[in-house]
Amino acid sequence: MSRELFKFKGGVHPPEHKAESTSRPIHAAPLPKKLVIPLRQHIGNPAKPVVEIGERVLKGQMIAAADGYISTAVHASSSGTVTAIDLQPVPHISGLPDLCITIETDGRDEWVAHAPLDYQAMEPSQLRMQLRDLGLAGLGGAVFPSAVKLDPGASHACTTLIINGGECEPWITCDDMLMRHHADEILQGVGIMRHLLGSTEILVGIEDNKPEALDSMRSAAAKLDFAVEVVKVPARYPGGGAKQMIETLTGRQVPSGKLSTDIGIQVFNVGTSYALARAIHHGEPLITRLVTVTGHVLRPQNFEVLIGTPMHTLITLAGDRDGTTGVLMGGPMMGVPMPNLDVPVVKATNCILVKSAELFPPLPKALPCIRCTRCADACPVELQPQELFRFAKAGDFGRAQEYHLFDCIECGCCSYVCPSHIPLVDFYRYAKSEIWAREKDKRAADLARERHEFRQFRQEREKKEKAEKLAAKAQAARAQAALDQAQRAELAAAPAAEGAAVSDTDAKKALIAAALARAQAKKSDAAPKNVDQLTSEQLHQIEEIEARRTKIRELARKPLESEEKKP
Amino acid sequence: MLAAIGVMVLLAVAIGLVLGWSAIRFKVEGNPLAEKIDAILPQTQCGQCGFPGCRPYAEAIAKGEADINQCPPGGEEGVKKLAELLGVEPKPLDEAHGTPKPKSVAFIDEQTCIGCTLCIQACPVDAISGAAKQMHTIIAAECTGCELCLPPCPVDCISMVPIAEDLPHWKWKHPVVMMKKIAETEGA
Ligand code: SF4
Ligand code: SF4
Ligand code: SF4
Ligand code: SF4
């Protein structure tokens, strides 16, 4: 093992605190009464529910399907009944709820029918679809849908595949324990990745503070029929970051704004590789993961936990203690505080770190930046944290972006070394989310502008069309009038043949006469049809009525006549 | 000597021709300043600035006929950006044109809607779908929250609903607490 290693810039050496949780074996956490399974556990579109309230589901049954390419499915972690599909608290710093499926478990833990997949016989695209439907997502922290990462794309093959066994955050040991106890299965997963990506070089990077994991992975690798190089790398935070691991192992840097695949390298976490092996060789979807429960608890250890298990049950299992000052999901460097402990374990939950005042004394008050540039020396991405802080604080996001804000991996090295205890990373997170929100607003404004302009164009067009229609109508009316004139002339032409002088009044009279004749004809058409065969009695009645009518008519006409006579 | 003058004259004529041609060929369409101002305006199209939409307001600013502080949806930040673009001092929003409100979308109570189409005619971005005597609905993703559809509705069935904060819309807050502490110590 004489591979040349490279050193990434910066980094820090925080106290490790790993031994606390590695001294006990992995325990399976008991089945909880209630599982709350969020539909947004991965990057990309949240999954769409495919079950209904009241439906009985089996362990491993898909309860929400992937929605789009960058998405992945979500499964029932145990058998039971769906009792709710609604907003529930999720492990997010905001404390805001999100759509979850709640399952009341029945204790039988009954599996849905599942079988291994013959991945070598399958079309790669079909295999990736299967992985998406098995809910696979990166377990290293970013939770990116694995099926997407396993697509080498049309142009660039991933010649180098790196399996990241670096677990640089203090306190966390779940990857370490996984490598110690499941090295064979991790490497089975690597075989499937190699098959999909066509990689020729496979490297496993493990830090030198995990000798047991190194041994077990090496002996497992020796049994394989393809070459896997297990490399010991020096432990330094954040050496387990994907880009830092790439640099340590290959000496190559991923350019700013690029992906590692752009330089022909793909990186997977050991946990993802293990989950992939379970999915392919056992047909099991991603419904469980290892979680380190450590910090201020009686028995720090790793649990195998069903996704959806409430965090407080794990803390109780590990033995909760008085004097807890808070709980982080993740480690002390990058972890996020949990708003409450009813939130479920999700695919991204690698560690539940219980804090106390002794283990995590509250930070002293932040002081102004003294521009000592210690943060810049510690930054593994070679940024200028003090400048980023200045711009973010002042809301000058344009300048922050010019200083490569989006290359910041939020590792926290800068905050860790800052003598003024400035929570630098909080400022970068704030600036990033502000910039995203602005971009969203900008897109909305562009859409509104477009739609407004289209509306104006449409109104203009409608006005024009209306005017044209009106003009056409007027034109038609004029043409009709001309035609009528001609017809009248024709009508009048009859008397003209008799030698009488043709005049307009004559034509009019003829028209009126014609109209009268038409009205007469109509009247006779409308004449009563029930007066044909009447009895003499009926005839008599009719005569009487007619007589009355004439009388009334005469009566009515009389004053008129008299009036007429007056003048 | 003469040859030199001749060359210079020829050169001048040639360059003049190229310049003249490119002035016609690469003519900038529209008013580029108004374009830039319009890009800053929020495109709510609400008319609170006193112009029938953002574009006319942008043109008025470009011509110097309107002040930069008349757009409430743009807020103080919009004024600041306009001031920066035009190289003038930012000033507080002119209250006469209204005050900024939280971002909202219109919502039609579909039980009450009588399908009169009056709101459709008022919406500047065609964000309402419906037909005569049919129930109408707002396409929330396209509604700018301009409130122009509220007054024409004869049965008052449209209301403005503030956009609730949910996970996809959540933003990290400015670390205010820490800022205060820093300010304190800086002041001390
Ligand atoms: S380490 Fe802290 S005090 Fe020093 S330059 Fe960076 S932000 Fe400023
Ligand atoms: S958090 Fe960002 S700026 Fe700070 S050290 Fe890490 S990468 Fe650099
Ligand atoms: S007030 Fe309304 S119409 Fe005027 S510029 Fe602002 S958003 Fe546009
Ligand atoms: S629906 Fe109403 S509030 Fe929304 S953009 Fe249209 S007119 Fe404005």
Side-chain angles (χ1 to χ4, degrees), chain A residues 458 495 530 534-535 545 550:
Chain A
R458 197 200 68 207
N530 55 351
L534 299 171
T535 56
I545 291 166
T550 32

Side-chain angles (χ1 to χ4, degrees), chain B residues 44 105-106 119 122-128 138 142-150 158 160:
Chain B
T44 309
V105 290
C119 57
C123 178
V125 290
D126 289 338
I128 306 179
I138 310 260
E142 278 156 13
C143 171
T144 65
C146 69
E147 304 193 357
L148 289 181
C149 52
L150 303 192
I158 311 180
M160 300 306 294

Side-chain angles (χ1 to χ4, degrees), chain A residues 121-150:
Chain A
M122 287 169 83
E123 272 289 307
S125 61
Q126 198 194 345
L127 178 55
R128 280 192 291 270
M129 287 290 262
Q130 284 281 348
L131 296 177
R132 200 179 65 147
D133 289 346
L134 285 165
L136 283 193
L139 298 182
V143 225
F144 196 82
S146 305
V148 182
K149 275 179 80 179
L150 285 167

Side-chain angles (χ1 to χ4, degrees), chain A residues 515-528:
Chain A
L516 270 175
R518 271 201 304 276
Q520 208 62 49
K522 256 194 194 152
K523 222 184 201 169
S524 56
D525 274 354

Side-chain angles (χ1 to χ4, degrees), chain A residues 433 449 451-452 455 458, chain B residues 38 121 123-126 172:
Chain A
S433 84
R449 182 186 296 113
R451 289 187 70 85
H452 183 61
R455 178 186 153 88
R458 197 200 68 207
Chain B
D38 193 41
Q121 293 162 35
C123 178
V125 290
D126 289 338
W172 279 83

Side-chain angles (χ1 to χ4, degrees), chain A residues 40 90 92-94 96-98 365-368 392-393 423 426-427 429-430 433-434 437-438 440 445 447-449 451-452 455 458, chain B residues 38-39 42-43 45 77 120-121 123-126 142 144 165-175 178-179 181-182 184-186:
Chain A
R40 191 197 308 272
V90 292
H92 189 269
I93 183 172
S94 66
L96 287 170
D98 203 16
K365 263 188 192 175
L367 297 167
K393 185 177 143 202
D426 287 355
F427 282 91
R429 287 173 172 160
Y430 154 72
S433 84
E434 248 342 285
R438 269 164 212 214
K440 225 186 228 170
L447 176 74
R449 182 186 296 113
R451 289 187 70 85
H452 183 61
R455 178 186 153 88
R458 197 200 68 207
Chain B
D38 193 41
Q43 305 302 319
Q45 313 292 1
E77 214 187 292
I120 295 191
Q121 293 162 35
C123 178
V125 290
D126 289 338
E142 278 156 13
T144 65
E165 191 177 49
D166 58 1
L167 265 192
H169 292 105
W170 180 82
K171 286 197 291 188
W172 279 83
K173 305 290 172 298
H174 195 287
M178 297 317 296
M179 289 313 301
K181 282 184 193 159
I182 292 171
E184 269 166 33
T185 37
E186 261 169 358

